[in-house]
Amino acid sequence: MTLRTRIADALRAPYPAMTSSQLSPPQRRALPTVALYRYGRPVWPEANVHTALTAYEQVVVVFACINWLADAAATARVAVVDERQDGIELPDHPLRQLMRQPNPSMSEAEWINANVKIAAVAGFCVNEITRDGTRRPTGLYPLRSDWLQPIARRDGRVDWEYRVPGDSVTYHLLAEDVLAWTFQSGPLLGAAGISPIAAARREIAIENDATGFVKSFFDSGAIPQIGLVPAEGAELDQAEADVLREKFMQFSGQQWVPIVMQAIIDVKRLGFDLNEMAYKDLRALSSTQIATAFRVPPVMLGTLVGLENSPWSKYEEARRSFYEDTITPLWARLDGALTRSLLPEFETNPAISLEFDTSRVPALADDDSVDWAHATMPGVAEFATINERRALVGLPPLTGGDVRILSIAQIEVPAGDELLPTRSRLVAGEWREVTPALTTGMAAAQEIRATHAATNRTTMLRLAERFAPVLGRFWRSQGQRLMEQTGFRQDGTTFETRALEEIDWAEEDRLLAEELKKLAIQAAEGAFAAASAQLDIAISFDLANPQLGRTMEQLLTRASGINETTRQAMATLITDSLSEGVTLAELSNRISSQFDDFGEARAMVVARSESQVSFNTASTLAYRESGVVDRAQLHDNAEHGGYGGDGDGLTCAQRNGMIVPLSQVDTHVMGTHPSCILAVSPVLTSDFGAE
């Protein structure tokens, strides 16, 4: 039978009847008084668990400090590690299984929270260890510290006496059956330790009494601050006193109504104003002292003194210091208690140890912003490979990542090649004498542009895969709207429908344009980022850019063309179905099926087409914004020919490899067929050494 079970049984027994002599007489509430022999001497509360609990419940700073400590300590979990294997964690160890849920009513975080909270208030915390039939630990139950008394043994260990109010039975807990630890050990090595509340007892009393004093002031109806003292022997009737009081208030502008003490020879101040009663400086000092006792930075508590003395920008630094200087030692003490009292129950191997796993504590996570800045700063790709940069920020290597990425403006020329004989070649539109190394560089430029085009094409396909489901949902919803607006009616043996022109196609264009706008923005943002990486130039993506705004408007006009295709398809379907004499139900099914089909095959076709147009159009604008590109190379399907051509008059095969001015790129981009895989790459204004 566990201690909890024995206590529960005892508490279920009825209380003995009380005689009248045992009943306390009714108590009367009186105003607080101070004995004359203690007047002028401070009166401090006793240092015990009950006063500590009162402080936790009534003083905001104490409440905040203790909960900060308990919540912070519960952010880490207890791990069982094997030191022989470089500290590898053993997640299936039986002790780890117990810590996952120390008892049926508490998770690991709740158990740690409760332990720290109890220890912070009482100075110590004791947990009963329950066992199964083989004496194996099966649970950890925190006990109330105010019901416990330590009993020292000759071997240096401590047993505990547990007394439950109302229970005549005293429970004796052996040191071997408890897990006990102190919040902070006292200099006399007492088993009960010492609580920060005990150390800050006087400051807590000042904070509590100052608040109580202000409350008593309001409860008393506000004692007058001003007294008008009369001359000795002078006597004023009520009317004269009222006149003097009124004149004084008019003269001084005082809101408090003074009391008149007959003939006035002096003005006495009897009380404090509200600002003085708040004792701002005194309370700021006491709050700081309380936070110091708990080792919690005042700025984390949000106190006025904390915010005044430590700017909010230092909050993260204060939080990390709190975890390193306060919570880490707290973890160490709790870790020590677990290692002493619980680990030997499960493990005899000295290489197995316990530690708190802080890898998931945000405040203790390494600040990798500097590493990320170094790994992504412009120019680093010139001398660091992809995997070297990934290793810098803690990412695993990629297959094929041991390569550097150069922009199109950077071509490696082997040392000594400048001494090779020159020959003539067309460069940037005119014949020049170039070296073989430069000729090699031109071929490399073609390869780099092809790589950039392939990257852009991959991005466009990913955008299409994301956007196709969006279009599918739009068309299914559009099908329902059009069915409702069409309004089928039966007249004899024929069906009549409203003209499709009565459908609000302008509203449909607007709704589709809203969906296309999302795609256009994502495509433009990706295109600008890709262009910045390819040219090694920071090109700002800003929707407030007028050029980008006009490009967006141009892209959104394509919504009406897509809806026109929908309108024609629906008109053909209805006309053909009515000519066949189908039933209304069959016609409705056909329309629904058509829009369901739109949500699958057509959705992907349109998504790929719009992704290609949006991305390539935005890429062209980004190249123009860079100031170093005036042409672009077109990369299309070299095997797709043998047909009459697209809107620009060219087939994919004819378009592939063309280098055109940026002003002509849109003509080819807009003139492609559906699902075209056209991609563009930048060509620098000055080619390889041109003036």
Side-chain angles (χ1 to χ4, degrees), residues 406-413 437 440-442 444-445 448 688:
L406 302 180
S407 71
I408 195 171
Q410 297 169 313
I411 301 299
E412 292 184 281
V413 179
T440 304
M442 292 177 176
I448 291 175
F688 310 111

mmCIF file of all heavy atoms in Angstrom, residues 406-413 437 440-442 444-445 448 688:
data_model
loop_
_atom_site.group_PDB
_atom_site.id
_atom_site.type_symbol
_atom_site.label_atom_id
_atom_site.label_comp_id
_atom_site.label_asym_id
_atom_site.label_seq_id
_atom_site.Cartn_x
_atom_site.Cartn_y
_atom_site.Cartn_z
ATOM 1 N N LEU A 406 29.373 29.711 -59.689
ATOM 2 C CA LEU A 406 29.820 31.009 -60.187
ATOM 3 C C LEU A 406 28.679 31.679 -60.932
ATOM 4 O O LEU A 406 27.843 31.019 -61.550
ATOM 5 C CB LEU A 406 31.019 30.845 -61.116
ATOM 6 C CG LEU A 406 32.258 30.160 -60.529
ATOM 7 C CD1 LEU A 406 33.348 30.070 -61.585
ATOM 8 C CD2 LEU A 406 32.767 30.922 -59.322
ATOM 9 N N SER A 407 28.636 32.988 -60.832
ATOM 10 C CA SER A 407 27.638 33.715 -61.601
ATOM 11 C C SER A 407 28.044 33.731 -63.066
ATOM 12 O O SER A 407 29.165 33.377 -63.432
ATOM 13 C CB SER A 407 27.521 35.151 -61.081
ATOM 14 O OG SER A 407 28.672 35.895 -61.436
ATOM 15 N N ILE A 408 27.149 34.170 -63.901
ATOM 16 C CA ILE A 408 27.431 34.191 -65.341
ATOM 17 C C ILE A 408 28.549 35.171 -65.683
ATOM 18 O O ILE A 408 29.168 35.096 -66.737
ATOM 19 C CB ILE A 408 26.145 34.544 -66.110
ATOM 20 C CG1 ILE A 408 26.310 34.222 -67.592
ATOM 21 C CG2 ILE A 408 25.751 35.995 -65.905
ATOM 22 C CD1 ILE A 408 25.012 34.334 -68.355
ATOM 23 N N ALA A 409 28.805 36.099 -64.776
ATOM 24 C CA ALA A 409 29.848 37.094 -65.028
ATOM 25 C C ALA A 409 31.231 36.600 -64.636
ATOM 26 O O ALA A 409 32.211 37.300 -64.837
ATOM 27 C CB ALA A 409 29.536 38.384 -64.258
ATOM 28 N N GLN A 410 31.327 35.409 -64.060
ATOM 29 C CA GLN A 410 32.599 34.908 -63.563
ATOM 30 C C GLN A 410 32.965 33.620 -64.283
ATOM 31 O O GLN A 410 32.234 32.632 -64.201
ATOM 32 C CB GLN A 410 32.522 34.660 -62.055
ATOM 33 C CG GLN A 410 32.273 35.936 -61.263
ATOM 34 C CD GLN A 410 31.945 35.634 -59.830
ATOM 35 O OE1 GLN A 410 31.129 34.769 -59.562
ATOM 36 N NE2 GLN A 410 32.582 36.354 -58.913
ATOM 37 N N ILE A 411 34.075 33.636 -65.014
ATOM 38 C CA ILE A 411 34.571 32.474 -65.758
ATOM 39 C C ILE A 411 35.996 32.197 -65.313
ATOM 40 O O ILE A 411 36.836 33.091 -65.272
ATOM 41 C CB ILE A 411 34.541 32.726 -67.284
ATOM 42 C CG1 ILE A 411 33.114 33.036 -67.734
ATOM 43 C CG2 ILE A 411 35.086 31.512 -68.021
ATOM 44 C CD1 ILE A 411 32.129 31.923 -67.487
ATOM 45 N N GLU A 412 36.266 30.964 -64.938
ATOM 46 C CA GLU A 412 37.608 30.598 -64.507
ATOM 47 C C GLU A 412 38.530 30.495 -65.724
ATOM 48 O O GLU A 412 38.219 29.818 -66.701
ATOM 49 C CB GLU A 412 37.581 29.266 -63.765
ATOM 50 C CG GLU A 412 36.855 29.333 -62.429
ATOM 51 C CD GLU A 412 36.955 28.019 -61.696
ATOM 52 O OE1 GLU A 412 36.208 27.108 -62.047
ATOM 53 O OE2 GLU A 412 37.787 27.922 -60.787
ATOM 54 N N VAL A 413 39.659 31.175 -65.651
ATOM 55 C CA VAL A 413 40.674 31.122 -66.707
ATOM 56 C C VAL A 413 41.941 30.536 -66.108
ATOM 57 O O VAL A 413 42.500 31.114 -65.166
ATOM 58 C CB VAL A 413 40.958 32.523 -67.285
ATOM 59 C CG1 VAL A 413 42.026 32.445 -68.358
ATOM 60 C CG2 VAL A 413 39.686 33.142 -67.826
ATOM 61 N N ALA A 437 41.768 30.552 -74.083
ATOM 62 C CA ALA A 437 41.127 30.504 -72.768
ATOM 63 C C ALA A 437 39.808 31.258 -72.788
ATOM 64 O O ALA A 437 38.815 30.836 -72.193
ATOM 65 C CB ALA A 437 42.054 31.103 -71.714
ATOM 66 N N THR A 440 37.303 29.199 -74.528
ATOM 67 C CA THR A 440 36.807 28.204 -73.580
ATOM 68 C C THR A 440 35.806 28.829 -72.623
ATOM 69 O O THR A 440 34.799 28.236 -72.256
ATOM 70 C CB THR A 440 37.985 27.600 -72.799
ATOM 71 O OG1 THR A 440 38.924 27.054 -73.716
ATOM 72 C CG2 THR A 440 37.502 26.536 -71.825
ATOM 73 N N GLY A 441 36.094 30.105 -72.211
ATOM 74 C CA GLY A 441 35.189 30.798 -71.321
ATOM 75 C C GLY A 441 33.830 31.014 -71.938
ATOM 76 O O GLY A 441 32.801 30.932 -71.268
ATOM 77 N N MET A 442 33.796 31.282 -73.239
ATOM 78 C CA MET A 442 32.502 31.480 -73.898
ATOM 79 C C MET A 442 31.683 30.196 -73.881
ATOM 80 O O MET A 442 30.463 30.216 -73.660
ATOM 81 C CB MET A 442 32.714 31.949 -75.335
ATOM 82 C CG MET A 442 33.291 33.351 -75.432
ATOM 83 S SD MET A 442 33.593 33.824 -77.136
ATOM 84 C CE MET A 442 34.140 35.513 -76.912
ATOM 85 N N ALA A 444 31.972 27.933 -71.672
ATOM 86 C CA ALA A 444 31.545 27.761 -70.285
ATOM 87 C C ALA A 444 30.338 28.630 -69.979
ATOM 88 O O ALA A 444 29.440 28.240 -69.228
ATOM 89 C CB ALA A 444 32.695 28.099 -69.343
ATOM 90 N N ALA A 445 30.304 29.845 -70.569
ATOM 91 C CA ALA A 445 29.163 30.726 -70.348
ATOM 92 C C ALA A 445 27.885 30.093 -70.861
ATOM 93 O O ALA A 445 26.823 30.215 -70.242
ATOM 94 C CB ALA A 445 29.404 32.073 -71.024
ATOM 95 N N ILE A 448 26.821 27.586 -68.305
ATOM 96 C CA ILE A 448 26.268 28.230 -67.106
ATOM 97 C C ILE A 448 24.852 28.719 -67.378
ATOM 98 O O ILE A 448 23.946 28.544 -66.558
ATOM 99 C CB ILE A 448 27.176 29.395 -66.656
ATOM 100 C CG1 ILE A 448 28.499 28.840 -66.132
ATOM 101 C CG2 ILE A 448 26.492 30.241 -65.594
ATOM 102 C CD1 ILE A 448 29.508 29.892 -65.767
ATOM 103 N N PHE A 688 32.687 39.197 -71.667
ATOM 104 C CA PHE A 688 34.056 38.687 -71.525
ATOM 105 C C PHE A 688 35.138 39.648 -72.002
ATOM 106 O O PHE A 688 35.779 39.462 -73.022
ATOM 107 C CB PHE A 688 34.200 37.360 -72.268
ATOM 108 C CG PHE A 688 33.114 36.402 -71.921
ATOM 109 C CD1 PHE A 688 32.143 36.061 -72.857
ATOM 110 C CD2 PHE A 688 33.031 35.877 -70.646
ATOM 111 C CE1 PHE A 688 31.137 35.194 -72.527
ATOM 112 C CE2 PHE A 688 32.015 35.016 -70.322
ATOM 113 C CZ PHE A 688 31.060 34.663 -71.255
#
